[in-house]
């Protein structure tokens, strides 16, 4: 009984909800093979098939960077986008026979580029007679069989997600996305696909979708009171036996969850963020897991199940459509059923092929609209600003984010209970290639500075809490002894801390002594030239990701919220530049923090 995708939680999922069967006339990839059937004298029946997988597409259809308005490129000369993936998919289908392949995704589909933003906010798919989402159009054209929900699917709110789901010709799976009241699945938990062979009973492939428990924290404003997200292991243990009892010969999990077994949100929810390997280890009956969320490339990784000793193959293709995972399965007919004899995986690089003209033609008009949108001039800048060194220097371009946030919060609190408190602001260097040029400033320039859909909040913090917050942030730097050479390529991201989890705070001044161990690096923390009183109260302008516990920074998630806004910070920056007309960094740039060693500046 498939769920009615046209209503939000309108139909409860019961046992078997979300199951769909599909098949077609097929010539088996392997009609027969070596080996002899038990006592029959006949060759054993064999069959091979391939499951292709993508993850973390983040709104990439074209090999195009809307923030630079040119073809995408990076230091490794990767390419991006579903148009490239489509070419690879068609090559594999020709090689294997389309009927012997399936195509799945592991989530984070509808957020990340200006293309996806445009059709969520500027010309929204939810409007009456609204457009069809470009990602739905492209994935439908490619012929996806299923996709797991990612955490970023919820960024634009449940109505946008439901409309996207309605526009897809394949199910969005989320066995651990539950209705908060009934605790029944809010989306189809799984789907069963049939691969038809003349070798005996058709091969039934069960695909289970799992999403990330962190959604409850990161998108609390959108899902609070509506959905809950239990652990991946718990829900896999519930549904994998069900799939097997329904006759699934092969079980594949599409999981928007990394393999590390770690969580960025500490103990705020009792479920592991990156649990894919734990699922393989703890839940028997799984043959393969398509991994997502971590933005890593894992061609092939085997995890032994503790109960059965069976090895489960895991693979994660690189984000944005840079890679395509191939799971290859060899099956043998034994005792009246298909059994997996071998399973392995590999990845293909999308930079090895041209874009599929079928996809680029299909979405040419949408692409042109978005290119025109991002090139709209919203103001001017008296000087060029860049994030090239913002990961280790207090740069004016990050000050721009902070001044916009601080001014917005001050205006919101004016005349109220907290109007007299100092307003501080946090900002991260989200991209090391963002820039504001001298001269005309466009939407793409401002949007490139803040690529995420974060909104702005104001939280109360004490001086002592602020120090803890800054110490936690400063763990980002690799400890570097006095006199030792400083290599900026090796200075940051200590402990695999991503750039977006390093916060620079404006409104106070401080030094970060990188010669000292993490936890004791903040020196000379001052406000208006005087040491910060541990009992002093401040208002921190902070993005909703951080305020909700993203990055597991101390104190902020539990701090009193005194104001919140539903507008994206990116749009607030754009409106600020439009209102100013001309941006002069001399009016707001200041060096509030610097890296030092025993008081001597590093730069």
């Amino acid at each position: 009984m498939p769920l009615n995708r046209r209503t939000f939680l309108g139909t409860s999922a019961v046992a078997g909800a979300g199951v769909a069967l599909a098949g077609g006339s097929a010539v088996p990839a392997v009609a027969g093979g070596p080996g002899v059937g038990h006592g029959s004298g006949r060759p054993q029946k064999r069959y091979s098939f391939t499951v292709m997988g993508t993850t973390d597409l983040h709104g990439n259809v074209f090999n195009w960077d809307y923030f630079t308005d040119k073809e995408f490129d990076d230091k490794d000369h990767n390419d991006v986008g579903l148009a490239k993936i489509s070419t690879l998919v068609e090559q594999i289908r020709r090689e294997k026979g389309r009927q012997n392949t399936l195509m799945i995704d592991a989530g984070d589909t509808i957020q990340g580029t200006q293309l996806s933003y445009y059709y969520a906010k500027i010309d929204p798919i939810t409007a009456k007679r609204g457009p069809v989402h470009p990602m739905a159009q492209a994935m439908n054209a490619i012929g996806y069989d299923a996709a797991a929900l990612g955490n970023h699917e919820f960024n634009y709110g449940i109505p946008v997600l439901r409309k996207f789901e309605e526009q897809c010709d394949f199910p969005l799976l989320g066995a651990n996305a539950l209705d908060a009241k009934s605790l029944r699945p809010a989306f189809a938990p799984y789907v069963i696909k049939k691969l038809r062979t003349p070798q005996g009973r058709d091969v039934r492939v069960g695909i289970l979708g799992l999403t990330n428990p962190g959604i409850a924290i990161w998108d609390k404003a959108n899902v609070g009171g509506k959905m809950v997200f239990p652990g991946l292991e718990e829900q896999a243990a519930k549904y994998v036996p069900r799939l097997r009892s329904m006759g699934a010969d092969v079980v594949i999990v599409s999981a928007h969850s990394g393999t590390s077994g770690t969580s960025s949100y500490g103990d705020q929810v009792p479920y592991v963020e990156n649990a894919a390997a734990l699922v393989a280890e703890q839940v028997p009956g799984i043959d393969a897991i398509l991994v997502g969320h971590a933005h890593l490339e894992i061609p092939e990784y085997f995890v032994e199940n503790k109960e059965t000793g069976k090895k489960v193959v895991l693979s994660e293709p690189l984000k944005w459509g840079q890679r395509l995972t191939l799971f290859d399965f060899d099956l043998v007919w034994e005792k009246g059923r298909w059994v997996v004899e071998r399973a392995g995986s590999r990845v293909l690089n999308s930079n090895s092929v041209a874009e599929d003209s079928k996809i680029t033609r299909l979405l040419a008009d949408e692409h042109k609209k978005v290119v025109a949108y991002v090139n709209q001039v919203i103001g001017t800048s008296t000087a060029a600003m860049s994030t090239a060194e913002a990961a280790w220097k207090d740069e004016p371009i990050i000050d721009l984010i902070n001044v916009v946030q601080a001014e917005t919060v001050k205006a919101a609190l004016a005349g109220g209970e907290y109007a007299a408190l100092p307003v501080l602001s946090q900002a991260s260097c989200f991209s090391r290639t963002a820039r504001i040029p001298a001269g005309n400033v466009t939407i793409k320039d401002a949007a490139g500075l803040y690529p995420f859909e974060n909104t702005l909040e104001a939280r109360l913090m004490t001086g002592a809490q602020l120090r803890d917050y800054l110490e936690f942030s400063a763990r980002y730097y690799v400890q570097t002894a006095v006199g030792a050479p400083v290599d900026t390529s090796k200075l940051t991201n200590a402990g695999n801390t991503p750039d977006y989890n390093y916060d620079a705070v404006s409104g106070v001044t401080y030094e970060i002594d990188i010669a000292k161990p993490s936890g004791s690096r903040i020196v000379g923390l001052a406000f208006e030239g005087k040491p910060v009183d541990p009992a002093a109260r401040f208002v921190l302008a902070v993005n909703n990701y951080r305020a909700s516990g993203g990055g597991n920074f101390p104190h902020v998630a539990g701090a009193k919220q005194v104001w919140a806004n539903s507008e994206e910070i990116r749009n607030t920056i754009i409106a600020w530049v439009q209102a100013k007309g001309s941006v002069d960094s001399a009016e707001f740039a200041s060096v509030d923090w610097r890296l030092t060693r025993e008081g001597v500046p590093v730069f």
Side-chain angles (χ1 to χ4, degrees), residues 477-486 491 513-516 521 597:
Y477 294 105
V478 173
Q479 186 173 1
T480 309
V482 175
V486 176
L491 178 63
D513 190 333
I514 60 172
K516 294 182 178 180
R521 291 177 169 177
R597 288 183 291 188

Side-chain angles (χ1 to χ4, degrees), residues 19 22 41 50 52 55 62 64 99 120 153 173 227 237 243 290 326 348 356 373 404-405 505 603:
V19 177
T50 296
M52 298 173 282
T55 191
F62 297 87
W64 195 260
Q99 68 277 8
E153 258 64 84
L173 306 178
M227 293 187 190
L243 286 167
L290 177 66
L326 304 181
L348 302 180
D356 186 344
Y373 164 73
V404 171
Q405 293 182 162
V505 174
F603 302 105

Side-chain angles (χ1 to χ4, degrees), residues 468-482:
D468 289 345
Y469 187 101
L470 292 172
E471 285 286 7
F472 184 86
S473 185
R475 68 194 181 121
Y476 172 74
Y477 294 105
V478 173
Q479 186 173 1
T480 309
V482 175

Side-chain angles (χ1 to χ4, degrees), residues 274-542:
N274 294 301
L278 295 175
V279 171
E281 183 181 82
Q282 297 177 15
V283 181
I286 297 169
D287 295 294
I289 301 180
L290 177 66
V291 177
H293 184 61
H295 290 201
L296 299 175
E297 181 175 345
I298 304 175
E300 183 178 61
Y301 173 49
F302 288 97
V303 174
E304 185 175 297
N305 184 267
K306 283 186 174 180
E307 182 175 326
T308 65
K310 175 184 173 181
K311 292 190 184 300
V312 182
V313 62
L314 286 70
S315 180
E316 181 176 6
L318 199 58
K319 64 186 185 297
W320 306 346
Q322 295 179 50
R323 304 289 186 272
L324 176 70
T325 278
L326 304 181
F327 289 107
D328 293 312
F329 296 93
D330 293 334
L331 276 59
V332 62
W333 183 261
E334 287 184 353
K335 298 180 180 178
R337 60 186 294 266
W338 289 108
V339 176
V340 175
E341 188 175 55
R342 190 197 71 85
S345 64
R346 54 196 168 104
V347 297
L348 302 180
N349 194 329
S350 67
N351 73 5
S352 65
V353 296
E355 291 184 312
D356 186 344
S357 60
K358 174 183 69 177
I359 304 300
T360 56
R361 285 197 307 267
L362 177 67
L363 292 164
D365 288 344
E366 287 84 347
H367 178 64
K368 289 176 183 176
K369 283 182 182 178
V370 175
V371 168
Y373 164 73
V374 300
N375 280 287
Q376 293 178 45
V377 175
I378 57 174
T380 61
S381 177
T382 59
M385 295 179 279
S386 167
T387 57
E389 297 184 323
W392 53 86
K393 291 182 181 178
D394 187 349
E395 291 285 81
I397 197 167
I398 303 299
D399 293 336
L400 174 60
I401 299 174
N402 276 326
V403 73
V404 171
Q405 293 182 162
E407 287 187 4
T408 301
V409 168
K410 287 176 184 176
L413 298 180
E417 178 183 356
Y418 304 101
L421 291 180
V423 176
L424 314 180
S425 178
Q426 62 79 220
S428 302
C429 177
F430 295 119
S431 166
R432 298 194 187 189
T433 59
R435 59 186 295 273
I436 300 293
N440 287 341
V441 178
T442 64
I443 285 176
K444 77 172 186 289
D445 298 324
L449 182 57
Y450 215 107
F452 296 107
E453 275 64 53
N454 294 341
T455 57
L456 188 60
E457 297 189 14
R459 298 279 179 131
L460 285 182
M461 299 277 281
T462 67
Q465 290 174 332
L466 175 65
R467 178 179 287 277
D468 289 345
Y469 187 101
L470 292 172
E471 285 286 7
F472 184 86
S473 185
R475 68 194 181 121
Y476 172 74
Y477 294 105
V478 173
Q479 186 173 1
T480 309
V482 175
V486 176
D487 180 351
T488 55
S489 69
K490 300 176 181 178
L491 178 63
T492 62
N493 306 102
N496 293 319
T497 302
D499 290 348
Y500 61 77
N501 276 341
Y502 170 67
D503 286 359
V505 174
S506 71
V508 289
T509 56
Y510 57 98
E511 296 177 0
I512 301 173
D513 190 333
I514 60 172
K516 294 182 178 180
S518 179
S520 58
R521 291 177 169 177
I522 301 301
V523 178
L525 178 60
F527 174 70
E528 293 184 343
K530 297 179 181 178
V532 167
D533 182 346
R537 293 202 305 166
F538 298 92
V539 174
L540 180 65
V542 58

Side-chain angles (χ1 to χ4, degrees), residues 83-295:
K84 291 269 185 173
I85 291 295
S86 183
T87 301
L88 291 175
V89 168
E90 290 308 310
Q91 286 182 356
I92 296 302
R93 285 172 173 162
R94 285 194 298 270
E95 176 188 337
K96 306 283 186 179
R98 184 184 181 112
Q99 68 277 8
N100 302 311
T101 66
L102 295 171
M103 182 71 191
I104 64 175
D105 183 80
D108 276 5
T109 303
I110 60 172
Q111 176 278 336
T113 65
Q114 286 296 285
L115 180 70
S116 54
Y117 177 81
Y118 187 88
Y119 287 98
K121 292 289 189 177
I122 307 304
D123 185 10
I125 60 174
T126 49
K128 188 176 182 180
R129 298 178 182 174
V132 177
H133 199 289
M135 294 301 287
Q137 291 191 59
M139 294 173 82
N140 289 342
I142 291 170
Y144 274 78
D145 293 289
L149 293 165
N151 54 286
H152 283 288
E153 258 64 84
F154 295 85
N155 285 174
Y156 296 118
I158 290 171
V160 169
L161 175 54
R162 286 296 181 188
K163 188 64 178 180
F164 174 71
E165 179 189 29
E166 180 183 316
Q167 293 176 342
C168 291
D169 294 340
F170 51 90
L172 300 184
L173 306 178
N176 61 328
L178 310 182
D179 173 17
K181 293 181 181 178
S182 70
L183 297 183
R184 291 179 173 176
F187 294 84
Y190 55 80
V191 66
I192 295 179
K193 307 295 290 187
K194 287 198 301 185
L195 298 173
R196 191 159 296 165
T197 90
Q199 296 294 317
R201 182 168 64 82
D202 299 337
V203 173
R204 292 176 173 238
V205 182
I207 304 167
L208 176 67
L210 297 169
T211 192
N212 205 287
I215 296 166
I217 298 172
W218 304 321
D219 263 306
K220 183 178 180 180
N222 289 327
V223 302
K226 299 174 183 177
M227 293 187 190
V228 294
F229 302 87
L232 285 82
E233 308 99 306
E234 169 190 323
Q235 295 303 102
K238 175 180 179 179
Y239 283 105
V240 170
R242 182 176 298 181
L243 286 167
R244 289 294 184 182
S245 70
M246 294 173 67
D249 303 293
V250 181
V251 172
I252 300 168
V253 175
S254 183
H256 194 75
S257 182
T259 61
S260 66
T262 61
S263 300
S264 67
Y265 41 72
D267 58 0
Q268 293 176 79
V269 294
Y271 310 114
V272 176
E273 176 182 352
N274 294 301
L278 295 175
V279 171
E281 183 181 82
Q282 297 177 15
V283 181
I286 297 169
D287 295 294
I289 301 180
L290 177 66
V291 177
H293 184 61
H295 290 201

